[in-house]
C-alpha cells in the first residue's frame, strides 16, 4: 500500500555543494519528506497496452558522492572532476542527483508509454571505500529509496490506506536481486535467510501474495504482467553465480540452485499448459567465454537445456550486471552428458571468501575487451548461409516455398544443388527458425561507468490492443506435476543428446526411446553407457506446436528497442558554461543512442532469433561485402556494377559493424582510436 498522508521518506538529493559529511548523524542516511504525488497520477481505469516495456538496471545510488571530488577517491573526497550528475567513465557510483533526474525524465517521457518495468538489481552502492563500509541498514535503506522512486513515478495516489500492498502501481514493476543488494556482496546463503526476509518487506508491492513462501525460501518469483498472457520470471541468479562461495551449483538436491531450477521448470510447464508466455529476468547474465564464466557450469547446463525445452514459452531473457551493451547465445551443442560441479574448498579461509572485489568484478577495460573479442570469435564460427542468402529472411517459406522439410533425407550428389545447401545450413542452425540457439540480452547501466542508460523495448500486441497491464502483483504458482518430466527410468542408456532429439517425437511418445537406445548402442557399443541424468528433464514442445515468440514473429515477440543515454560530458559542459545556473536539471536529458529498427548498421527486421544470428554472423566476419555494407532493410539486392561476362563484382571492406557494436557496448564513450587499438 502507498501511504502518502504520513509522508514518504526519501533520501535527499545531494546539492552541488555537498556538505563535508554525507550523513547528518553518524551511521544515518539523510532523509526528507517529499510532497504527495499530484492528482495527475490517479488512474480511474486500467490503461490499455502500449506494446512497450522499460528495462532499468544497476543504479547504485551513493549517499557519500561529492561533487568536484576525486574519482580516485571513489568520488567521496579530494579535489577532482566529479560532476553534478556523476563521474562518467570512472568506477564512482551514482549521485542522488542523477537518480532523481533519471526518474523525473522517466515520468515526463516514458511513464505513459510502458506496460511494465523490469528492474534487474544492484540498487545499493559498491563496497569500494574502506572509510565508508557498507552496513545491512544502509543497503536496506538504499533499496527502499529506490522503491520509493518507483512509487513517485508509477504509484497510484488513489490507493492511500489501501490494505493490499500488491496493487500500488499503475503498471507492474518486477525487481530482482543484484550481487550488491546483500552483504557481503556476492554471498547469498541458502534461504530462508535474513535477506529474503528483509526483501519480503521491501518488495511487498511486487511479489504476489501466493508466492511469499517460495520467495522466502530463495528470493525467486514470477508475476503476470499481462493477466493470462505474459509473466515475468525474476530469477535469483546469485544461486547460479560462480562467485557465490556459500552455495555449490545446481547439481545436488540439497543446493538452492537445484531447487531454483526445479521451481523454474515446474512454473514454465504451468505456463505452457495455460497457453501463456514468459520473459526471464535476472541480474548476473550467463556469460561464458574462454576467459570469463559467470555461472557455475552445472547451472549453465541446466539453464541452456531449460531454455531449449521451453522455447515455445520463453520470449527472451534479460540481464544487467556487466554494464556492457551486448547479447549472448546459449547453444545446445554446449550441453554435456556429464555435469560437473565446482566444489568449494573446505580449507578455504572465511576471510578469503569475502574479498572486497570478486574475480568477476575485477573486470577491467582490458578484460572487457578480451571478453568481447572472445564473443566475436565465437560468432565467427556460426554456420554460414549459402551464397546469396542470409539468416534474416522474412519467413522460412521464402527459402523453398511452402514445402520445408529439412529432415528429409536425399541421396547426395557430387555437386549439391542449391536446395541441398540450404537444407544443410538450416539443419546446422536447428531448423528454419534457428532453434539450436537461445538468447540472453544484457543492458548497460544507470551508474555512469560509461554513460547512464535506459532501454525501452517494443513488443507485438497484435490482437491484444484492448488488453491492459496487470493492476497488481498477481501470479499463483503451480505444484510439481510428474507428468511434465521425462522419467529417469526411461532415460537409462541415454544421454542429454538423446533427450534433445525427443523434439522430433510426438509429445505422447516422449518415453518411447527404443530406437534411440538401439542407435546409441550401435554407435558406441564398445563404450560405457553414459549415466542417466540425476534430475528431471523437461518435456520439449509438442511437435504440433508453432515456434515460440523468440523465434517466429507473433504476439508478444520483441520487435525493437530504443537505447537512451545521458551524455554527462555534454550536460556538465552546459552547466559549467552557465555560471549562475540555479537549476542544473534544465540541462539534463536522455537522448536516443540508437534504435534497432530502421538502423542502417544493425539492419534488424525484428528481435527474433534469426535476426540476432544474422547480426552476430555479420559482426563475426573479418570483412563485409559491399552488399552487406550498403544493403537497405528489406532489400537484399547487390548494388555493385557488372563485370565483363555479366557477373557482378563484389567489393569487400573492413568490418565496420564490429566497430559499431563495440562503440555501443561501451555506450559511445570510446574513441575510434581506442577501439582500433583494443579491438582491431
Amino acid at each position: 500500500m502507498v501511504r502518502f498522508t504520513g509522508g514518504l521518506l526519501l533520501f535527499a538529493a545531494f546539492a552541488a555543494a555537498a556538505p563535508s559529511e554525507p550523513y547528518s548523524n553518524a551511521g544515518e542516511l539523510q532523509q526528507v519528506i517529499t510532497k504527495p504525488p499530484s492528482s495527475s497520477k490517479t488512474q480511474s481505469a486500467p490503461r490499455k497496452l502500449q506494446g512497450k516495456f522499460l528495462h532499468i538496471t544497476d543504479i547504485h545510488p551513493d549517499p557519500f558522492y561529492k561533487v568536484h571530488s576525486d574519482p580516485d577517491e571513489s568520488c567521496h573526497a579530494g579535489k577532482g572532476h566529479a560532476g553534478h550528475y556523476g563521474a562518467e567513465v570512472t568506477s564512482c557510483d551514482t549521485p542522488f542527483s542523477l537518480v532523481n533526474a533519471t526518474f523525473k525524465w522517466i515520468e515526463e517521457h516514458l511513464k505513459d508509454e510502458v506496460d511494465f518495468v523490469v528492474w534487474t538489481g544492484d540498487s545499493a552502492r559498491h563496497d569500494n571505500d574502506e572509510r565508508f563500509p557498507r552496513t545491512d541498514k544502509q543497503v536496506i535503506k538504499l533499496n527502499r529509496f529506490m522503491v520509493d522512486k518507483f512509487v513517485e513515478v508509477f504509484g497510484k495516489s488513489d490507493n492511500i490506506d489501501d490494505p493490499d500492498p500488491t496493487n500500488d502501481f499503475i503498471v507492474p514493476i518486477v525487481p530482482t536481486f543484484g550481487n550488491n543488494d546483500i552483504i557481503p556482496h556476492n554471498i547469498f546463503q541458502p534461504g530462508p535467510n535474513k535477506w529474503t526476509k528483509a526483501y519480503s518487506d521491501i518488495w511487498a508491492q511486487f511479489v504476489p501474495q501466493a508466492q511469499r513462501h517460495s520467495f522466502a525460501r530463495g528470493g525467486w518469483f514470477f508475476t503476470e504482467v499481462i493477466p493470462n498472457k505474459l509473466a515475468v520470471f525474476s530469477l535469483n541468479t546469485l544461486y547460479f553465480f560462480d562467485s557465490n562461495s556459500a552455495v555449490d551449483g545446481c547439481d545436488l538436491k540439497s543446493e538452492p540452485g537445484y531447487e531454483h531450477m526445479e521451481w523454474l521448470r515446474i512454473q514454465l510447464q504451468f505456463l505452457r499448459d495455460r497457453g501463456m508466455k514468459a520473459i526471464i529476468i535476472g541480474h548476473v547474465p550467463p556469460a561464458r567465454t574462454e576467459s570469463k564464466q559467470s555461472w557455475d557450469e552445472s547451472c549453465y547446463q541446466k539453464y541452456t537445456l531449460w531454455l531449449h525445452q521451453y522455447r515455445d514459452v520463453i520470449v527472451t531473457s534479460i540481464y544487467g550486471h556487466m554494464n556492457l551493451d551486448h547479447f549472448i547465445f546459449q547453444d545446445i551443442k554446449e550441453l554435456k552428458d556429464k555435469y560437473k560441479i565446482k566444489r568449494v574448498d573446505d580449507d578455504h579461509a572465511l576471510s578469503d571468501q569475502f574479498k572486497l572485489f570478486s574475480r568477476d568484478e575485477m573486470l577491467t577495460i582490458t578484460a572487457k575487451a578480451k571478453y568481447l573479442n572472445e564473443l566475436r570469435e565465437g560468432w565467427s564460427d556460426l554456420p554460414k548461409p549459402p551464397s546469396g542468402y542470409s539468416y534474416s529472411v522474412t519467413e522460412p517459406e521464402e527459402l523453398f516455398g511452402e514445402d520445408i522439410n529439412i529432415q528429409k533425407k536425399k541421396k547426395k550428389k557430387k555437386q549439391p544443388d542449391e536446395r541441398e545447401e540450404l537444407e544443410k545450413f538450416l539443419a546446422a542452425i536447428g531448423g528454419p527458425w534457428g532453434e539450436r540457439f537461445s538468447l540472453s540480452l544484457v543492458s548497460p547501466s544507470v551508474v555512469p561507468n560509461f554513460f547512464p542508460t535506459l532501454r525501452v523495448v517494443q513488443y507485438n500486441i497484435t490482437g491484444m490492443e484492448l488488453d491492459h497491464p496487470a493492476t497488481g502483483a498477481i501470479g499463483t504458482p503451480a505444484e510439481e506435476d510428474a507428468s511434465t518430466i521425462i522419467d529417469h527410468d526411461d532415460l537409462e542408456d541415454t544421454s542429454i543428446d538423446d533427450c534433445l532429439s525427443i523434439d522430433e517425437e510426438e509429445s505422447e511418445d516422449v518415453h518411447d526411446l527404443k530406437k534411440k537406445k538401439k542407435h546409441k548402442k550401435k554407435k558406441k557399443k564398445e563404450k560405457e553407457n553414459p549415466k542417466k541424468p540425476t534430475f528431471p528433464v523437461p518435456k520439449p514442445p509438442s511437435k504440433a506446436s508453432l515456434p515460440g515468440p523468440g523465434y517466429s514473429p507473433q504476439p508478444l515477440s520483441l520487435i525493437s528497442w530504443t537505447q537512451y543515454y545521458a551524455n554527462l560530458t555534454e550536460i556538465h559542459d552546459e552547466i559549467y558554461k552557465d555560471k549562475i545556473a540555479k537549476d542544473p536539471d534544465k540541462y539534463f536529458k536522455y537522448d536516443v543512442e540508437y534504435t534497432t529498427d530502421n538502423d542502417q548498421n544493425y539492419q534488424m527486421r525484428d528481435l527474433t532469433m534469426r535476426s540476432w544470428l544474422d547480426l552476430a554472423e555479420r559482426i563475426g566476419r573479418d570483412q563485409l561485402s559491399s552488399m552487406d555494407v550498403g544493403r537497405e532493410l528489406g532489400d537484399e539486392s547487390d548494388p555493385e556494377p557488372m563485370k565483363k561476362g555479366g557477373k557482378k563484382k563484389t567489393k569487400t571492406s573492413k568490418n565496420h559493424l564490429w566497430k559499431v557494436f563495440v562503440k555501443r557496448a561501451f555506450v559511445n564513450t570510446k574513441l575510434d582510436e581506442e577501439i582500433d587499438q583494443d579491438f582491431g
Side-chain angles (χ1 to χ4, degrees):
M1 59 191 154
V2 181
R3 295 182 181 273
F4 295 110
T5 54
L8 186 62
L9 293 178
L10 296 177
F11 291 104
F14 279 13
S20 58
E21 293 296 331
Y23 287 174
S24 56
N25 296 309
E28 293 295 328
L29 298 177
Q30 288 183 316
Q31 297 178 330
V32 296
I33 297 177
T34 60
K35 296 179 180 179
S38 65
S39 58
S40 63
K41 290 179 182 283
T42 301
Q43 296 288 318
S44 58
R47 53 200 277 173
K48 293 180 181 178
L49 293 178
Q50 303 298 307
K52 296 179 182 178
F53 66 87
L54 169 65
H55 180 201
I56 185 169
T57 192
D58 293 81
I59 302 172
H60 290 293
D62 185 358
F64 304 104
Y65 183 95
K66 288 185 177 181
V67 178
H68 306 311
S69 61
D70 186 356
D72 290 337
E73 299 279 351
S74 301
C75 294
H76 295 162
K79 297 293 183 181
H81 66 271
H84 181 80
Y85 292 110
E88 64 272 26
V89 200
T90 72
S91 60
C92 292
D93 281 332
T94 305
F96 287 175
S97 56
L98 175 57
V99 177
N100 292 332
T102 294
F103 276 81
K104 180 181 178 182
W105 191 89
I106 291 172
E107 181 171 21
E108 293 174 350
H109 297 88
L110 301 179
K111 170 188 168 184
D112 296 325
E113 294 186 7
V114 297
D115 301 326
F116 56 94
V117 179
V118 294
W119 167 26
T120 51
D122 266 10
S123 300
R125 57 176 281 256
H126 289 96
D127 199 0
N128 57 4
D129 192 339
E130 294 180 352
R131 295 166 296 185
F132 301 104
R134 298 199 316 162
T135 65
D136 292 2
K137 186 176 182 180
Q138 180 190 120
V139 168
I140 289 172
K141 281 192 172 184
L142 287 170
N143 271 274
R144 288 194 186 279
F145 167 56
M146 292 314 310
V147 170
D148 289 341
K149 298 308 294 184
F150 281 104
V151 170
E152 283 185 13
V153 177
F154 296 105
K156 294 178 182 176
S157 62
D158 58 352
N159 266 30
I160 298 175
D161 295 324
D162 184 340
D164 182 3
T166 63
N167 65 349
D168 290 350
F169 294 91
I170 58 175
V171 296
I173 314 291
V174 192
T176 193
F177 278 106
N179 62 308
N180 286 286
D181 293 327
I182 55 174
I183 290 181
H185 78 296
N186 299 340
I187 308 301
F188 203 99
Q189 300 283 347
N193 58 47
K194 67 178 181 180
W195 292 109
T196 59
K197 181 179 179 180
Y199 282 92
S200 292
D201 180 54
I202 298 170
W203 292 346
Q205 297 108 313
F206 309 130
V207 180
Q209 290 183 343
Q211 297 182 59
R212 297 292 173 83
H213 177 71
S214 60
F215 181 84
R217 283 193 59 80
W220 52 72
F221 70 99
F222 73 86
T223 184
E224 295 184 27
V225 294
I226 305 176
N228 301 311
K229 300 286 180 63
L230 177 65
V232 174
F233 280 69
S234 177
L235 303 185
N236 185 355
T237 54
L238 302 187
Y239 284 142
F240 312 148
F241 196 19
D242 199 42
S243 296
N244 183 5
S245 58
V247 296
D248 192 13
C250 299
D251 215 23
L252 302 177
K253 290 184 178 181
S254 59
E255 288 297 324
Y258 182 99
E259 182 180 350
H260 195 353
M261 283 294 181
E262 281 301 282
W263 171 86
L264 180 61
R265 175 186 63 78
I266 293 166
Q267 305 311 323
L268 287 174
Q269 181 63 43
F270 182 48
L271 261 62
R272 175 186 280 167
D273 295 341
R274 294 176 59 192
M276 291 183 62
K277 306 302 178 185
I279 291 174
I280 293 176
I281 70 168
H283 180 65
V284 181
R288 190 173 186 264
T289 67
E290 183 178 348
S291 66
K292 181 173 180 60
Q293 181 163 334
S294 296
W295 285 19
D296 181 278
E297 180 66 9
S298 63
C299 301
Y300 181 87
Q301 291 283 313
K302 281 189 175 181
Y303 179 73
T304 300
L305 178 58
W306 268 222
L307 291 185
H308 181 71
Q309 299 296 78
Y310 289 110
R311 61 192 182 276
D312 57 325
V313 177
I314 297 170
V315 177
T316 194
S317 56
I318 296 172
Y319 297 91
H321 179 65
M322 296 182 71
N323 301 331
L324 291 170
D325 184 347
H326 68 293
F327 57 97
I328 307 167
F329 292 123
Q330 287 75 53
D331 184 352
I332 60 171
K333 287 199 171 184
E334 295 174 344
L335 292 173
K336 302 174 183 177
D337 292 349
K338 186 176 180 181
Y339 288 76
K340 296 180 180 180
I341 297 290
K342 287 187 177 181
R343 301 293 181 183
V344 177
D345 187 353
D346 294 335
D347 297 329
H348 199 51
L350 186 64
S351 60
D352 289 338
Q353 294 181 23
F354 301 155
K355 291 180 180 178
L356 188 62
F357 293 101
S358 72
R359 60 185 176 85
D360 176 81
E361 288 187 306
M362 295 296 288
L363 198 59
T364 62
I365 294 295
T366 301
K368 291 178 188 290
K370 185 175 183 180
Y371 169 71
L372 291 178
N373 278 310
E374 288 173 349
L375 279 182
R376 187 193 187 195
E377 183 178 350
W379 296 343
S380 69
D381 292 332
L382 287 170
K384 300 296 186 290
S387 178
Y389 291 87
S390 75
Y391 280 96
S392 62
V393 291
T394 303
E395 297 292 343
E397 286 77 4
E398 291 182 5
L399 296 175
F400 306 131
E402 295 183 358
D403 180 22
I404 299 178
N405 183 8
I406 65 170
Q407 304 296 336
K408 184 177 180 181
K409 294 182 179 179
K410 301 175 73 175
K411 292 183 179 180
K412 291 187 177 180
K413 301 177 182 179
K414 292 182 180 179
Q415 297 294 332
D417 61 17
E418 183 180 20
R419 182 185 179 99
E420 288 177 326
E421 288 295 323
L422 286 169
E423 287 179 344
K424 183 179 179 180
F425 165 67
L426 292 177
I429 66 172
W433 305 101
E435 291 177 292
R436 166 183 159 184
F437 301 94
S438 302
L439 180 71
S440 297
L441 304 172
V442 186
S443 178
S445 57
V446 171
V447 65
N449 292 155
F450 305 119
F451 285 138
T453 66
L454 300 168
R455 177 173 290 174
V456 175
V457 183
Q458 182 183 6
Y459 66 101
N460 190 327
I461 58 170
T462 301
M464 300 186 294
E465 293 86 353
L466 299 180
D467 289 352
H468 58 81
T471 56
I474 59 174
T476 302
E479 301 298 329
E480 183 169 2
D481 181 359
S483 67
T484 66
I485 61 177
I486 299 173
D487 195 324
H488 287 177
D489 293 336
D490 291 326
L491 288 172
E492 188 175 1
D493 299 334
T494 66
S495 68
I496 291 297
D497 289 335
D498 294 320
C499 300
L500 294 177
S501 63
I502 292 171
D503 295 359
E504 302 169 13
E505 305 293 331
E506 294 286 356
S507 59
E508 59 266 25
D509 296 330
V510 75
H511 301 302
D512 184 11
L513 302 176
K514 292 181 180 179
K515 292 182 180 180
K516 294 177 178 58
K517 291 178 184 178
K518 290 180 180 179
H519 176 72
K520 190 74 176 180
K521 290 178 180 179
K522 183 177 180 180
K523 187 176 181 180
K524 298 184 178 181
K525 57 184 178 181
E526 295 182 357
K527 294 184 179 181
E528 181 181 354
N529 289 325
K531 295 179 181 179
K532 61 185 179 183
T534 58
F535 56 85
V537 178
K539 285 184 177 180
S542 165
K543 186 177 180 180
S545 66
L546 297 174
Y551 298 88
S552 170
Q554 60 190 268
L556 299 177
S557 292
L558 304 190
I559 298 173
S560 65
W561 72 51
T562 300
Q563 193 71 33
Y564 293 96
Y565 78 123
N567 189 325
L568 296 189
T569 302
E570 293 182 355
I571 292 170
H572 289 147
D573 284 346
E574 291 296 321
I575 295 173
Y576 178 77
K577 291 175 184 177
D578 188 351
K579 299 292 186 181
I580 60 173
K582 295 183 179 180
D583 182 19
D585 283 356
K586 70 180 182 180
Y587 297 108
F588 184 86
K589 62 178 180 176
Y590 278 87
D591 292 312
V592 174
E593 181 192 2
Y594 71 93
T595 61
T596 59
D597 60 334
N598 297 315
D599 174 49
Q600 293 307 305
N601 291 297
Y602 280 5
Q603 303 176 13
M604 302 180 77
R605 298 176 186 273
D606 55 32
L607 301 183
T608 57
M609 180 57 66
R610 283 176 294 120
S611 292
W612 287 109
L613 289 170
D614 178 66
L615 176 62
E617 191 272 330
R618 288 186 289 124
I619 290 174
R621 299 181 200 172
D622 291 331
Q623 294 181 320
L624 287 180
S625 68
S626 55
M627 182 174 70
D628 291 302
V629 172
R631 77 182 191 186
E632 299 289 336
L633 284 173
D635 181 10
E636 301 289 341
S637 61
D638 190 341
E640 292 300 316
M642 303 288 285
K643 286 183 179 180
K644 290 182 179 180
K647 293 184 178 180
K648 293 180 179 179
K649 57 182 180 181
T650 302
K651 297 180 181 179
T652 59
S653 61
K654 191 173 181 179
N655 192 341
H656 78 289
L657 189 57
W658 168 235
K659 192 171 185 177
V660 171
F661 173 78
V662 171
K663 188 179 287 287
R664 291 175 177 178
F666 290 95
V667 197
N668 271 287
T669 58
K670 270 195 168 294
L671 300 174
D672 289 345
E673 295 78 10
E674 293 179 287
I675 295 176
D676 291 338
Q677 178 180 342
D678 295 337
F679 298 92

